[in-house]
Amino acid sequence: MGEHKRIGILTSGGDCAGLNAVIRAVVHHAVGNYNWDVLGIRNATLGLMQRPPQVMHLTPENTDGLLTMGGTILGTTNRGNPFAFPMPDGTERDRSNEIARGYHQLKLDALIGIGGDGSLAILRRLAQEGGINLIGIPKTIDNDVGATECSIGFDTAVNIATEALDRLHFTAASHSRVMILEVMGRDAGHIALNAGIAGGAHVILIPEISYKIANVCRKIRQRQDRGQNFSIVIVSEAVCTESGELVTKMEQFGESRLGGVGQYLAEQISHHSDAETRVTVLGHIQRGGISSPLDRLLASSFGVAAVDAISEGRYDRMVAWQNRQIVEVPIAEAIANYRAVNPQDTLVKTARGLGICLGD
Amino acid sequence: MGEHKRIGILTSGGDCAGLNAVIRAVVHHAVGNYNWDVLGIRNATLGLMQRPPQVMHLTPENTDGLLTMGGTILGTTNRGNPFAFPMPDGTERDRSNEIARGYHQLKLDALIGIGGDGSLAILRRLAQEGGINLIGIPKTIDNDVGATECSIGFDTAVNIATEALDRLHFTAASHSRVMILEVMGRDAGHIALNAGIAGGAHVILIPEISYKIANVCRKIRQRQDRGQNFSIVIVSEAVCTESGELVTKMEQFGESRLGGVGQYLAEQISHHSDAETRVTVLGHIQRGGISSPLDRLLASSFGVAAVDAISEGRYDRMVAWQNRQIVEVPIAEAIANYRAVNPQDTLVKTARGLGICLGD
Amino acid sequence: MGEHKRIGILTSGGDCAGLNAVIRAVVHHAVGNYNWDVLGIRNATLGLMQRPPQVMHLTPENTDGLLTMGGTILGTTNRGNPFAFPMPDGTERDRSNEIARGYHQLKLDALIGIGGDGSLAILRRLAQEGGINLIGIPKTIDNDVGATECSIGFDTAVNIATEALDRLHFTAASHSRVMILEVMGRDAGHIALNAGIAGGAHVILIPEISYKIANVCRKIRQRQDRGQNFSIVIVSEAVCTESGELVTKMEQFGESRLGGVGQYLAEQISHHSDAETRVTVLGHIQRGGISSPLDRLLASSFGVAAVDAISEGRYDRMVAWQNRQIVEVPIAEAIANYRAVNPQDTLVKTARGLGICLGD
Amino acid sequence: MGEHKRIGILTSGGDCAGLNAVIRAVVHHAVGNYNWDVLGIRNATLGLMQRPPQVMHLTPENTDGLLTMGGTILGTTNRGNPFAFPMPDGTERDRSNEIARGYHQLKLDALIGIGGDGSLAILRRLAQEGGINLIGIPKTIDNDVGATECSIGFDTAVNIATEALDRLHFTAASHSRVMILEVMGRDAGHIALNAGIAGGAHVILIPEISYKIANVCRKIRQRQDRGQNFSIVIVSEAVCTESGELVTKMEQFGESRLGGVGQYLAEQISHHSDAETRVTVLGHIQRGGISSPLDRLLASSFGVAAVDAISEGRYDRMVAWQNRQIVEVPIAEAIANYRAVNPQDTLVKTARGLGICLGD
């Protein structure tokens, strides 16, 4: 069973479904089977900067109810980049240094960091500069982390967005409207593409494929011509115009503009057609509540595998999911292979096969 | 089994869950048991204004799959007030007259009109002026029709709003945020009140109870003081300030303002406290998809009872739901007893008992 | 705010959705608003028989997460009838006496008892004989408690049974089968009747209406004749034959028989027709997991109202739900008006209107 | 766009979620993009044996609503093995011959066969002997088809079984019981293993891992010793005893025995421990209703890819899902690599890491 260890775990970046299930799995395996100590670090790396470091002792008892629960009992923050902000107490000390100091002060043998693309890159740099034994676990509703089929949180987000489309279908048809659903995915359109196919959308716009508004309006008109007097459009929170510009809420819209990309698109469609449009912004709801069964499986498997990697002394690695099996990859490899939607992906072909307009 | 009849049915106003289940029940009873003819009138009263009137023959076969389906296969419109708009063909003929003419041209013996408070009032006036034998069925996600415990669509809407709160809880707690959910209900706060209690909200703001922002912020602070670093706020799309003014998207906000009441409140909270806020506007999703079992029961019972009323020659009445039984009431009585949230209602007391802040 | 009190709460009989939400509401109101002490008694009346009585101190903190959670954190038992069993320690002392002694030993001012028809009758007798200030709260998935439109747990059970029917429809149609779903309800057929209508069943058999197998088979055959090669049957766990005998699993079936009423009916149908049948017994799943929003509302309102009754010194009463408002009724009245399905009930008429076969 | 084709599609074996979504995708791509004819063959191969063959013309219009719908509009049968039964008309003609004849009589250029392991093997033999251009699509809730990460129907089945476990947790804990859930999977335990992990089971028994009842009872007792007075057990409909015998309902239990493996296990547990047990048999409910988003994606992608394979003249192949991409494999390869649970699979390790008892 190997030597006794003391490990930490933190959750970083936006919350999503499955984080708590990872925590539970890590604790059940590390404490229940290996008899190690597990410290939960509060609010991502912020907890390691504070003095004393802010932690909670995790036990099978206080984590047993976490399997289905969304969010993270450890707390998280989007402002955790230690290379970009001052210390929590306002001083100008080197935050990255302080994080490593917190880790060593806690006498940790290893750290499990759950994060997306950006968080994993930061954690890796911290680990390398500060002598931290790091294992990464990929989470992001956007599913853009490389080297893994899925990250935690994606399946639940797709389920919620699909369910929203299922609901909008009926009201769209009843009122002869074009319903636009704006979902998350600033850099990668996986949620929109997956939910759009699963939810029977007629138009899917994502940042990876530049769109012409004329194509969108033609699709809507074609449907009208066949007596289908409504259309469902799903759109990522960033889209790409035919000139190759990325349009998002913050970069393009003046203060006087209402809303984000969904609203922008509604105005374009109204301008170029006689369709009546309505916009729904799914927002924070897609971060989940009860985790989907697949996210629970993924999270449980990641948690157990991360502990196994530590028990065998393998660090600087990320656990990944491929074909319903766990593999380990170097964190560097995962980061280097950021995954946007590729025009050759199966789902892009599936969308085209179904007659869905992708805007191009 | 009485004499043969020919009846029409139309759905009016915003769509909601359960409309199709009413249509199915009417047809199953009227055709299956009484052997009558049932015509479905398209797009509310618009279908009666067109020449020839726009209808579809309804049969048990073409309505059998409608039990669970949201929306309405007949179509509907929010622009159906014949006393306020020109004819569909642009002419200035008296629309109310044309509607009655359409009814008589179709040789209908009776008309089942499914609508909310406003629609039922209009339909009744049309019926009285035009010699239409009308039976009303109450539908509205706002549940503000008088004389009935529930209208069709309300239960499904509350379920969806509650589910959204369930999801927001986790992300609110993970990020130490105040999450604001804006739901429908311009004149009556039933959705917010019901979903707020069912979904564990800490603050519920509705148009019937005027709020002070200081009370809202005090509640948020009290929770923070007890270590509960997040709060859930649910708010109707209209709220009432302490000076008694009704604040809604259209009436109060200049064009340069982002969003509706949710956004307005977020700005107020940010101004009066240090809480980080996020707004979600539930929008059209709450009109439903799959109907809740209760809405299916209600809709099926209303449909059967409406046919029975016609078979016995009782008109100018609305079927209503009281204590899981159907009763009939004069439409005039239902309209006269518009039901907003009453401060003496059980649910208001329940909310206060649970320690929920209602803003007053 | 009145004088300080010390109250107990217990859950009795089979578990269901909403019990925990009552506990939460009682504690939030009694502790949060009145500053009373609330003791949770373990395992129904068994906790009061043990020495010392088995209780847990309930606080807003340890009950805050209970709103959505099914079951009861206090535990319950179906073997709690103190007039029928020996003491937990095996002695023959008078259990009813010991329960009252436990209550007084705990120095309770009042007891909130959550139970069904049977439990409330027992609790009332205990209260009267032992000087216990009792407030009753009705719970039962069977919805057979009188004087209240709904008891806690019923709405969730109907939702689950309806969802099961929704699922069985597709597999029935694909395989041209008669699918039989057996649901709970030994004495009252409310679950079968409500879920059967909401879930589009073609046959509903309940203990209150005696059935002829010939009628059931005729309905199946009529559907086949119209090209509808499948049927959905929902049946209570007890049914009544045309001779007026009640058939249930325990009373009628020898040991060599497989299963309960569902299986019995499948054999009858196979014997009298050429239909291929399959049986599903829903079982404990219908006791719920996540409570439905309506059960949460009901539970929260009951909990708050029970505390208010105690604060004003009204005892021997049950809180009830009528038209979405709370009323109080004497427990005796609720017990005396046990509510089975009445042939004049709206839902019976609705079922007949929809062409559903009720077996008679 | 290539030459015009006329293709058939059939669904074979037990129904599941996603079949209709495949049909829709095939038609949208083949008719909508390639302008081919698509014939839906009724009741698996039975439709090809009848004279004239029983088919329905499929169009984008009559398949558009199929995306979310469970089951199959084409019908299916479990008695479709042409090598084992007489002809539908009772004669002894060679059924396999007649199937090929039906195919050629319809002048089909290719046939898309959706089936599990067994159906695909039969279809392949028919294709080779009868000159049928076959493309296979894997479907089975058991997920035991080789060479594909998932088959259609599996994800929905796991979701439903997981949801059932979520519900049983509460009632188990409230009543201090051992709840046993029996799920499908006669030859492969994937549903039990996946749902068991996702649903927080404490014991998972599957046919691939032989169990000792002593181990199961020890796990239950260990939990009791820690104050966790309930346990959740999930079990496949076939299990393997320590002597290596497979125990299923039909092979092992005499007529006097109640029920299947779940009941068998309940009796064993009661015999070897003092735990109170309850059994739930999930049955046909797990075949699904509304398909999960993942099953809709899978089905849509399979349908489009099958049409593409035909358009490029590739036959005798099965489309498969690997890492969220479509690949094509020889049907022979898929059949040869029947996939049971392998003790080295990630999920077996995950289960052990979580402390779940697998019986060994």
Side-chain angles (χ1 to χ4, degrees):
Chain A
M1 192 158 290
E3 61 192 310
H4 180 267
K5 288 190 193 295
R6 183 174 167 89
I7 65 174
I9 180 169
L10 61 79
T11 50
S12 181
D15 78 296
C16 65
L19 297 175
N20 279 326
V22 175
I23 296 168
R24 171 183 179 267
V26 164
V27 172
H28 274 60
H29 196 29
V31 180
N33 293 330
Y34 288 121
N35 209 20
W36 296 350
D37 288 324
V38 182
L39 297 184
I41 296 158
R42 291 189 183 279
N43 299 317
T45 49
L46 288 182
L48 288 174
M49 286 182 224
Q50 291 172 283
R51 295 295 170 268
Q54 294 298 299
V55 298
M56 61 189 292
H57 260 273
L58 298 174
T59 66
E61 287 68 35
N62 67 21
T63 59
D64 199 28
L66 298 186
L67 178 59
T68 64
M69 195 190 293
T72 163
I73 57 162
L74 298 178
T76 184
T77 174
N78 291 328
R79 293 166 303 182
N81 185 346
F83 304 108
F85 291 89
M87 286 290 288
D89 62 8
T91 65
E92 290 290 332
R93 272 172 294 148
D94 177 351
R95 281 160 54 112
S96 63
N97 231 325
E98 294 296 326
I99 289 169
R101 242 153 117 160
Y103 169 88
H104 293 295
Q105 204 169 316
L106 290 168
K107 298 186 189 308
L108 296 177
D109 295 302
L111 176 68
I112 296 173
I114 315 174
D117 194 61
S119 295
L120 289 175
I122 292 167
L123 287 171
R124 184 167 188 253
R125 187 169 150 194
L126 288 171
Q128 292 194 305
E129 295 180 0
I132 294 173
N133 289 325
L134 177 70
I135 289 288
I137 293 181
K139 73 91 214 166
T140 161
I141 64 170
D142 292 340
N143 211 32
D144 52 11
V145 175
T148 186
E149 181 182 346
C150 295
S151 293
I152 298 167
F154 176 61
D155 187 65
T156 302
V158 169
N159 287 355
I160 294 172
T162 301
E163 184 187 56
L165 289 182
D166 286 352
R167 287 174 178 159
L168 292 177
H169 260 272
F170 297 113
T171 191
S174 301
H175 284 276
S176 304
R177 284 174 181 157
V178 174
M179 299 299 278
I180 299 169
L181 181 70
E182 180 186 318
V183 295
M184 289 189 175
R186 190 172 305 280
D187 305 310
H190 294 289
I191 294 180
L193 182 60
N194 281 261
I197 295 171
H202 307 107
V203 178
I204 301 175
L205 302 185
I206 57 177
E208 295 90 341
I209 298 178
S210 63
Y211 78 101
K212 296 186 189 169
I213 188 66
N215 294 340
V216 174
C217 292
R218 185 185 316 121
K219 175 72 182 178
I220 293 168
R221 218 161 30 238
Q222 278 173 351
R223 287 181 49 77
Q224 289 171 334
D225 291 347
R226 288 189 208 126
Q228 297 160 318
N229 59 356
F230 72 98
S231 291
I232 305 288
V233 178
I234 188 168
V235 56
S236 294
E237 60 188 330
V239 291
C240 184
T241 65
E242 52 186 306
S243 60
E245 257 183 313
L246 205 66
V247 179
T248 70
K249 188 173 175 182
M250 287 180 300
E251 293 167 33
Q252 289 291 39
F253 300 156
E255 279 195 26
S256 65
R257 289 295 268 291
L258 274 168
V261 167
Q263 187 60 32
Y264 172 76
L265 191 69
E267 288 166 18
Q268 279 193 307
I269 292 173
S270 300
H271 193 71
H272 290 82
S273 78
D274 62 347
E276 190 185 336
T277 60
R278 289 288 186 282
V279 181
T280 301
V281 181
L282 200 48
H284 295 274
I285 293 171
Q286 64 203 297
R287 295 205 168 274
I290 301 298
S291 304
S292 76
L294 183 55
D295 269 329
R296 301 184 206 171
L297 282 173
L298 209 59
S300 299
S301 296
F302 281 162
V304 168
V307 170
D308 280 338
I310 294 171
S311 88
E312 294 162 23
R314 288 193 303 277
Y315 301 113
D316 199 21
R317 293 174 155 253
M318 185 185 85
V319 292
W321 184 254
Q322 293 177 4
N323 275 321
R324 294 187 97 81
Q325 303 291 342
I326 290 283
V327 296
E328 280 178 29
V329 296
I331 294 181
E333 184 187 316
I335 296 169
N337 290 285
Y338 172 79
R339 187 182 53 215
V341 173
N342 185 313
Q344 297 312 312
D345 280 348
T346 281
L347 291 184
V348 173
K349 291 181 193 167
T350 298
R352 296 197 200 279
L354 294 167
I356 297 171
C357 167
L358 296 173
D360 60 351
Chain B
M1 192 159 290
E3 60 191 310
H4 179 267
K5 287 190 195 294
R6 182 175 167 88
I7 65 174
I9 180 169
L10 61 79
T11 50
S12 182
D15 78 295
C16 65
L19 297 175
N20 279 327
V22 175
I23 296 168
R24 171 183 179 267
V26 164
V27 172
H28 274 61
H29 196 29
V31 180
N33 293 331
Y34 288 121
N35 208 22
W36 297 350
D37 288 324
V38 182
L39 297 184
I41 295 158
R42 291 189 184 279
N43 299 318
T45 49
L46 288 182
L48 287 174
M49 285 182 227
Q50 290 171 285
R51 293 297 168 267
Q54 295 297 299
V55 297
M56 61 189 292
H57 259 274
L58 298 174
T59 66
E61 287 68 35
N62 67 21
T63 60
D64 199 27
L66 298 186
L67 178 59
T68 65
M69 195 190 294
T72 163
I73 56 162
L74 299 178
T76 184
T77 173
N78 290 328
R79 292 166 304 182
N81 186 346
F83 305 108
F85 290 90
M87 285 290 289
D89 61 9
T91 66
E92 289 292 330
R93 271 173 295 146
D94 177 350
R95 283 160 54 112
S96 63
N97 231 324
E98 294 296 325
I99 289 169
R101 240 151 117 162
Y103 170 88
H104 293 298
Q105 204 169 318
L106 290 169
K107 297 187 189 308
L108 295 178
D109 295 302
L111 176 68
I112 296 174
I114 315 174
D117 193 62
S119 296
L120 290 175
I122 292 167
L123 287 171
R124 183 167 189 254
R125 188 170 148 194
L126 288 170
Q128 293 194 306
E129 295 179 359
I132 294 173
N133 289 325
L134 178 69
I135 289 289
I137 293 181
K139 73 93 215 165
T140 161
I141 64 171
D142 292 340
N143 211 32
D144 51 12
V145 175
T148 185
E149 181 182 346
C150 295
S151 293
I152 298 167
F154 176 61
D155 187 64
T156 302
V158 169
N159 287 355
I160 293 172
T162 301
E163 185 187 55
L165 289 182
D166 285 353
R167 287 175 178 159
L168 292 176
H169 259 272
F170 296 113
T171 191
S174 300
H175 284 276
S176 304
R177 284 174 181 159
V178 173
M179 299 300 277
I180 300 169
L181 181 70
E182 180 185 317
V183 295
M184 289 189 175
R186 190 171 305 280
D187 305 310
H190 294 289
I191 293 179
L193 181 60
N194 281 260
I197 294 171
H202 307 106
V203 177
I204 300 175
L205 302 186
I206 58 177
E208 294 91 339
I209 298 178
S210 63
Y211 79 101
K212 295 186 189 170
I213 188 65
N215 293 341
V216 174
C217 292
R218 186 186 315 121
K219 175 72 183 178
I220 293 168
R221 218 159 32 237
Q222 278 173 353
R223 286 181 49 78
Q224 289 171 334
D225 292 347
R226 287 187 208 128
Q228 297 160 318
N229 59 357
F230 72 99
S231 291
I232 305 288
V233 178
I234 188 168
V235 57
S236 294
E237 61 188 330
V239 292
C240 184
T241 65
E242 53 185 306
S243 61
E245 258 183 312
L246 205 66
V247 179
T248 70
K249 187 173 175 181
M250 287 181 298
E251 293 167 31
Q252 289 293 39
F253 300 157
E255 278 193 27
S256 64
R257 288 294 268 291
L258 273 169
V261 167
Q263 186 61 32
Y264 172 76
L265 192 69
E267 287 166 18
Q268 280 193 308
I269 292 173
S270 299
H271 192 73
H272 290 82
S273 78
D274 62 347
E276 190 185 335
T277 59
R278 289 289 185 282
V279 180
T280 301
V281 180
L282 200 48
H284 294 274
I285 293 171
Q286 64 203 296
R287 295 207 168 272
I290 300 298
S291 304
S292 77
L294 184 54
D295 269 328
R296 300 184 207 171
L297 281 172
L298 208 59
S300 299
S301 297
F302 281 162
V304 168
V307 170
D308 280 338
I310 293 170
S311 87
E312 294 162 23
R314 288 191 304 276
Y315 301 113
D316 199 21
R317 291 174 156 252
M318 185 185 86
V319 292
W321 184 253
Q322 293 178 4
N323 275 320
R324 294 186 97 80
Q325 303 290 344
I326 290 283
V327 296
E328 280 177 29
V329 296
I331 294 181
E333 184 188 316
I335 295 169
N337 290 286
Y338 171 80
R339 187 182 53 214
V341 173
N342 185 313
Q344 297 312 310
D345 280 348
T346 282
L347 292 184
V348 173
K349 291 181 192 165
T350 298
R352 296 195 198 283
L354 294 168
I356 296 171
C357 168
L358 295 174
D360 61 349
Chain C
M1 194 158 286
E3 61 191 310
H4 180 267
K5 287 190 194 296
R6 182 174 167 90
I7 66 174
I9 180 168
L10 62 78
T11 51
S12 181
D15 78 295
C16 65
L19 297 175
N20 279 326
V22 175
I23 297 168
R24 171 182 179 268
V26 164
V27 173
H28 274 60
H29 195 30
V31 179
N33 293 330
Y34 288 121
N35 208 20
W36 297 350
D37 288 324
V38 182
L39 297 184
I41 295 158
R42 291 190 183 278
N43 299 318
T45 50
L46 288 182
L48 287 174
M49 285 182 227
Q50 290 172 284
R51 295 296 170 267
Q54 294 299 298
V55 298
M56 61 189 292
H57 260 272
L58 298 174
T59 65
E61 285 70 35
N62 68 20
T63 59
D64 198 28
L66 298 185
L67 177 60
T68 65
M69 194 189 295
T72 162
I73 57 163
L74 299 178
T76 183
T77 173
N78 291 328
R79 294 166 303 181
N81 186 346
F83 305 108
F85 289 90
M87 286 290 288
D89 62 9
T91 66
E92 290 291 332
R93 271 173 296 148
D94 177 349
R95 282 161 53 112
S96 64
N97 231 324
E98 293 297 324
I99 288 169
R101 242 152 115 161
Y103 170 89
H104 294 296
Q105 205 168 316
L106 290 169
K107 298 187 189 308
L108 295 178
D109 295 302
L111 176 68
I112 296 174
I114 315 176
D117 195 60
S119 295
L120 290 175
I122 292 167
L123 288 171
R124 182 168 190 252
R125 188 171 149 194
L126 288 171
Q128 293 195 306
E129 295 180 359
I132 294 173
N133 290 324
L134 177 69
I135 288 289
I137 293 180
K139 74 91 213 166
T140 161
I141 63 170
D142 292 340
N143 211 31
D144 52 11
V145 175
T148 186
E149 181 182 346
C150 295
S151 292
I152 298 167
F154 176 61
D155 186 64
T156 302
V158 169
N159 287 355
I160 293 172
T162 301
E163 185 188 53
L165 289 182
D166 286 352
R167 287 174 178 161
L168 292 176
H169 259 273
F170 296 113
T171 190
S174 301
H175 283 276
S176 304
R177 284 174 180 156
V178 174
M179 299 299 278
I180 299 169
L181 181 70
E182 180 186 319
V183 295
M184 289 189 174
R186 190 172 306 279
D187 306 310
H190 294 289
I191 294 179
L193 181 59
N194 281 261
I197 294 172
H202 307 107
V203 179
I204 301 175
L205 303 185
I206 58 176
E208 294 91 339
I209 298 177
S210 62
Y211 80 101
K212 295 186 190 171
I213 188 66
N215 293 341
V216 174
C217 292
R218 186 185 314 120
K219 175 72 183 178
I220 293 168
R221 216 159 32 237
Q222 278 173 350
R223 287 180 49 76
Q224 289 170 334
D225 293 345
R226 287 188 209 127
Q228 297 160 317
N229 59 357
F230 72 98
S231 291
I232 305 288
V233 179
I234 188 168
V235 57
S236 294
E237 62 188 330
V239 291
C240 184
T241 65
E242 55 185 306
S243 61
E245 257 182 313
L246 205 66
V247 179
T248 71
K249 187 173 176 181
M250 287 180 299
E251 293 167 32
Q252 291 290 37
F253 300 156
E255 279 194 26
S256 64
R257 288 294 268 291
L258 274 169
V261 168
Q263 186 60 33
Y264 172 76
L265 191 70
E267 287 166 19
Q268 280 193 307
I269 292 172
S270 300
H271 192 72
H272 290 83
S273 78
D274 62 347
E276 191 186 334
T277 59
R278 289 288 186 282
V279 180
T280 301
V281 181
L282 200 49
H284 294 274
I285 293 171
Q286 64 204 296
R287 294 206 169 274
I290 300 298
S291 304
S292 77
L294 183 54
D295 269 329
R296 300 183 206 171
L297 281 173
L298 209 59
S300 299
S301 297
F302 281 162
V304 167
V307 170
D308 280 338
I310 293 171
S311 87
E312 294 162 22
R314 289 191 304 277
Y315 301 113
D316 199 21
R317 293 175 155 250
M318 186 185 85
V319 291
W321 184 252
Q322 293 178 4
N323 275 320
R324 294 185 96 80
Q325 303 290 341
I326 290 283
V327 297
E328 280 177 29
V329 296
I331 294 180
E333 183 188 317
I335 296 169
N337 291 287
Y338 171 80
R339 187 182 53 213
V341 173
N342 185 314
Q344 297 313 310
D345 280 348
T346 281
L347 291 184
V348 173
K349 292 181 192 165
T350 298
R352 295 195 199 283
L354 294 168
I356 297 171
C357 168
L358 295 174
D360 60 350
Chain D
M1 194 160 284
E3 60 191 311
H4 179 267
K5 288 191 195 295
R6 183 174 166 89
I7 65 174
I9 180 168
L10 62 78
T11 51
S12 182
D15 78 295
C16 65
L19 297 175
N20 278 326
V22 175
I23 296 168
R24 172 183 179 268
V26 164
V27 172
H28 274 59
H29 196 29
V31 179
N33 293 330
Y34 288 121
N35 208 21
W36 297 350
D37 287 324
V38 183
L39 297 184
I41 295 158
R42 290 190 184 280
N43 299 316
T45 50
L46 288 182
L48 288 174
M49 285 182 227
Q50 290 171 284
R51 294 298 168 266
Q54 294 298 298
V55 298
M56 61 190 292
H57 261 273
L58 298 174
T59 65
E61 287 69 35
N62 68 21
T63 60
D64 198 29
L66 298 185
L67 178 60
T68 65
M69 195 191 292
T72 163
I73 57 162
L74 298 178
T76 184
T77 173
N78 291 327
R79 293 165 302 181
N81 185 345
F83 304 107
F85 290 90
M87 286 289 288
D89 61 9
T91 66
E92 289 292 331
R93 271 173 295 149
D94 177 349
R95 282 160 53 111
S96 63
N97 231 324
E98 294 297 326
I99 289 169
R101 240 153 120 160
Y103 170 88
H104 293 297
Q105 204 169 318
L106 290 168
K107 297 187 189 307
L108 296 178
D109 295 301
L111 177 67
I112 296 174
I114 315 175
D117 194 62
S119 296
L120 290 176
I122 291 166
L123 287 171
R124 184 168 188 251
R125 187 169 150 195
L126 288 171
Q128 293 195 305
E129 296 180 359
I132 294 173
N133 289 325
L134 178 69
I135 288 289
I137 293 181
K139 73 91 214 164
T140 161
I141 64 171
D142 292 341
N143 211 31
D144 51 11
V145 176
T148 185
E149 180 182 346
C150 294
S151 293
I152 299 167
F154 176 61
D155 186 65
T156 302
V158 169
N159 286 355
I160 293 172
T162 302
E163 184 188 56
L165 289 182
D166 285 353
R167 287 174 178 158
L168 292 176
H169 259 273
F170 296 114
T171 190
S174 300
H175 284 275
S176 304
R177 284 173 181 158
V178 173
M179 300 300 277
I180 299 169
L181 181 70
E182 180 186 318
V183 295
M184 288 188 175
R186 191 171 305 280
D187 305 309
H190 294 289
I191 294 179
L193 182 59
N194 280 261
I197 294 172
H202 307 106
V203 178
I204 301 175
L205 302 185
I206 58 176
E208 295 91 338
I209 298 178
S210 63
Y211 79 101
K212 296 187 189 169
I213 187 66
N215 293 341
V216 174
C217 292
R218 186 184 316 120
K219 176 70 183 180
I220 293 169
R221 218 161 29 240
Q222 278 173 350
R223 286 180 50 77
Q224 289 170 334
D225 291 347
R226 287 189 208 127
Q228 297 161 318
N229 59 357
F230 72 99
S231 290
I232 305 288
V233 179
I234 188 167
V235 56
S236 294
E237 61 188 329
V239 292
C240 184
T241 65
E242 53 185 306
S243 60
E245 256 183 313
L246 205 66
V247 179
T248 71
K249 187 174 175 181
M250 287 179 300
E251 293 166 33
Q252 291 291 39
F253 301 156
E255 279 195 25
S256 65
R257 289 293 268 291
L258 274 169
V261 168
Q263 187 60 33
Y264 173 76
L265 191 71
E267 288 167 18
Q268 280 194 305
I269 292 172
S270 299
H271 192 72
H272 290 83
S273 78
D274 62 346
E276 190 185 336
T277 59
R278 288 289 186 282
V279 181
T280 301
V281 181
L282 200 49
H284 294 274
I285 293 171
Q286 63 204 297
R287 294 205 168 274
I290 300 297
S291 304
S292 76
L294 183 54
D295 269 328
R296 300 184 207 171
L297 282 173
L298 209 58
S300 299
S301 297
F302 281 162
V304 168
V307 170
D308 280 337
I310 293 171
S311 87
E312 294 163 22
R314 288 192 303 278
Y315 301 113
D316 199 21
R317 293 174 155 253
M318 186 185 85
V319 291
W321 184 254
Q322 292 178 4
N323 275 321
R324 294 184 97 80
Q325 303 290 343
I326 290 283
V327 296
E328 280 178 29
V329 295
I331 294 181
E333 182 187 317
I335 296 169
N337 290 286
Y338 171 79
R339 186 182 54 214
V341 173
N342 184 313
Q344 297 313 311
D345 280 348
T346 282
L347 291 184
V348 173
K349 291 181 194 166
T350 298
R352 295 197 200 282
L354 294 167
I356 297 171
C357 168
L358 296 174
D360 60 351

